[in-house]
């Protein structure tokens, strides 16, 4: 028992402290962040700017991107540029990566973070919405990864995929969204194996996030659940740290790692407690 307890405590301590970021490693790093006009992506842009990185940010709203870029310049970014794009448009993902590679002379990090809006409600039978969301939240990630892989291979760079606990566990009100996140975990988890087997220089980090207090998420869950939300700025720093230290998979907040580990031990109680958290 003592041995098992010590191993458990060591695991918890490791997850709690997590890997340490060397901010110098990000000075001048060439980073493309998607979904950076708001929420966690915007916070990532500010952290990266503070570390002196060269950032290209993208999302649909040009005016907002312009404001984020201006703030990045004030915070100390070596370079800060934006490109407006709609990931629902199948030609935009490639266009965005080409823009970033062209303007930065290569790429060290591709941070895939954007999501399209999706209702937080019982599934209403709308198949077309899920098809559309699959393009925005999933297929565009593949298109960007494919376009960036050769340049990332040259720079020994990384792809960072922002995923969710809802790509690991099923929960009510998010059927289309959760489908895209399960798909991401499956695809990029497989790609991790394949790149390792091919001895590729490119690393992939998959970040699993719990509920984060972004405006869009808080607006959705208001009045439906009281699950604690964690700060977007901390989540953003966690993602950057995980990518820069080449973690295969990371969890924020850290205890969800254990949540997913024991997920299937007591399925009946798991499902009862998940439903208990939502008002209907
Ligand atoms: P937000 O809704 O705050 O931001 C989404 C971003 O994506 C915005 O910059 C938005 O900008 C952009 N976007 C939306 N639609 C498109 C589109 N069609 N094409 C291009 N860009 C688009 O998201 P969060 O910050 O809350 O989430 C960020 C990531 O974290 C996501 O991958 C999400 O799944 C993950 N996550 C978030 C959690 C949370 O509770 N917040 C929990 C678990 C995971 P614009 O409107 O200008 O296009």
């Amino acid at each position: 028992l003592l041995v098992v307890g010590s191993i458990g405590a060591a695991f918890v301590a490791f997850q709690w402290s997590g890997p340490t970021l060397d901010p110098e490693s990000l000075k001048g790093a060439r980073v493309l962040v998607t979904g950076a006009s708001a929420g966690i992506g915007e916070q990532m842009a500010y952290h990266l700017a503070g570390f002196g990185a060269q950032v290209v940010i993208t999302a649909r709203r040009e005016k907002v991107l312009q404001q984020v870029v201006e703030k990045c310049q004030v915070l100390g970014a070596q370079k800060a540029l934006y490109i407006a794009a709609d990931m629902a448009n199948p030609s935009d993902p490639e266009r965005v990566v080409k823009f970033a590679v062209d303007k930065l002379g290569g790429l060290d990090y591709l941070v895939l973070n954007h999501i399209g809006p999706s209702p937080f409600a019982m599934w209403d039978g709308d198949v077309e919405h899920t098809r559309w969301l699959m393009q925005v939240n999933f297929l565009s990630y593949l298109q960007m990864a494919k376009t960036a892989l050769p340049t990332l291979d040259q720079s020994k760079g990384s792809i960072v995929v922002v995923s969710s606990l809802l790509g690991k566990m099923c929960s009510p009100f998010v059927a289309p969204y959760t489908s895209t996140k399960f798909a991401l975990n499956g695809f990029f988890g497989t790609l991790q194996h394949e790149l390792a087997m091919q001895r590729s220089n490119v690393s992939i980090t998959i970040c699993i996030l719990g509920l984060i207090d972004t405006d869009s998420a808080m607006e959705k869950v208001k009045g439906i659940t009281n699950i604690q939300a964690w700060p977007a700025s901390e989540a953003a720093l966690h993602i950057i740290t995980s990518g820069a230290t080449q973690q295969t998979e990371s969890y924020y907040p850290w205890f969800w790692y254990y949540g997913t580990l024991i997920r299937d031990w007591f399925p009946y109680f798991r499902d009862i407690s998940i439903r208990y958290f939502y008002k209907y």
Side-chain angles (χ1 to χ4, degrees):
L1 263 177
L2 203 67
V3 173
V4 172
S6 310
I7 293 172
F11 263 135
V12 171
F14 175 72
Q15 290 295 326
W16 179 256
S17 58
T20 320
L21 174 69
D22 170 15
E24 282 298 306
S25 71
L26 289 167
K27 203 173 220 158
R30 299 161 298 178
V31 191
L32 169 57
V33 185
T34 71
S37 64
I40 299 166
E42 179 186 357
Q43 296 303 317
M44 283 197 273
Y46 298 151
H47 283 300
L48 289 162
F51 294 135
Q54 306 182 60
V55 276
V56 170
I57 60 168
T58 186
R60 290 167 306 174
R61 290 168 297 158
E62 189 159 359
K63 276 229 167 78
V64 191
L65 287 171
Q66 215 168 346
Q67 289 162 1
V68 176
V69 155
E70 279 164 20
K71 196 163 167 193
C72 286
Q73 281 156 349
V74 173
L75 288 169
Q78 262 188 30
K79 218 180 230 185
L81 302 162
Y82 72 84
I83 174 169
D86 184 347
M87 295 298 164
N89 178 354
S91 62
D92 274 12
E94 187 178 335
R95 179 171 69 84
V96 168
V97 174
K98 284 189 166 158
F99 173 87
V101 171
D102 184 41
K103 297 289 176 189
L104 303 180
L107 208 56
D108 298 301
Y109 295 96
L110 169 63
V111 184
L112 298 168
N113 165 76
H114 62 276
I115 43 165
S118 189
F120 192 75
M122 293 268 172
W123 188 53
D124 62 359
D126 186 349
V127 176
E128 277 315 305
H129 170 70
T130 306
R131 199 191 306 279
W132 173 85
L133 200 66
M134 273 289 180
Q135 167 60 37
V136 178
N137 290 11
F138 175 61
L139 292 172
S140 71
Y141 280 44
L142 275 52
Q143 291 175 296
M144 296 186 88
K146 179 197 157 212
T147 312
L149 269 170
T151 181
L152 289 172
D153 196 49
Q154 276 174 13
S155 65
K156 299 190 169 59
S158 304
I159 298 173
V160 181
V161 178
V162 181
S163 189
S164 167
L165 204 53
L166 295 174
K168 292 272 185 183
M169 286 197 210
C170 296
S171 192
F173 304 135
V174 286
Y177 172 79
T178 207
S179 313
T180 65
K181 292 299 185 186
F182 268 86
L184 279 180
N185 288 349
F187 183 87
F188 284 98
T190 297
L191 201 57
Q192 279 173 334
H193 284 302
E194 295 181 357
L195 292 180
M197 290 162 83
Q198 292 167 338
R199 302 203 191 290
S200 159
N201 291 323
V202 183
S203 73
I204 295 181
T205 298
I206 302 175
C207 300
I208 308 295
L209 307 183
L211 184 61
I212 309 299
D213 68 358
T214 58
D215 291 346
S216 63
M218 292 302 91
E219 183 58 35
K220 275 183 188 160
V221 302
K222 195 168 62 187
I224 300 179
T225 181
N226 292 325
I227 295 173
Q228 186 187 347
W230 296 75
S233 175
E234 250 182 47
L237 187 57
H238 167 91
I239 296 164
I240 292 168
T241 304
S242 305
T245 53
Q246 304 198 333
Q247 305 298 302
T248 309
E249 192 176 57
S250 77
Y251 288 79
Y252 178 86
W254 62 272
F255 53 78
W256 279 122
Y257 171 66
Y258 296 96
T260 55
L261 264 189
I262 62 169
R263 180 186 65 178
D264 298 328
W265 289 7
F266 309 104
Y268 176 78
F269 294 106
R270 175 198 62 205
D271 292 344
I272 294 285
S273 44
I274 286 176
R275 282 169 220 155
Y276 167 82
F277 279 112
Y278 297 92
K279 287 192 194 119
Y280 178 62

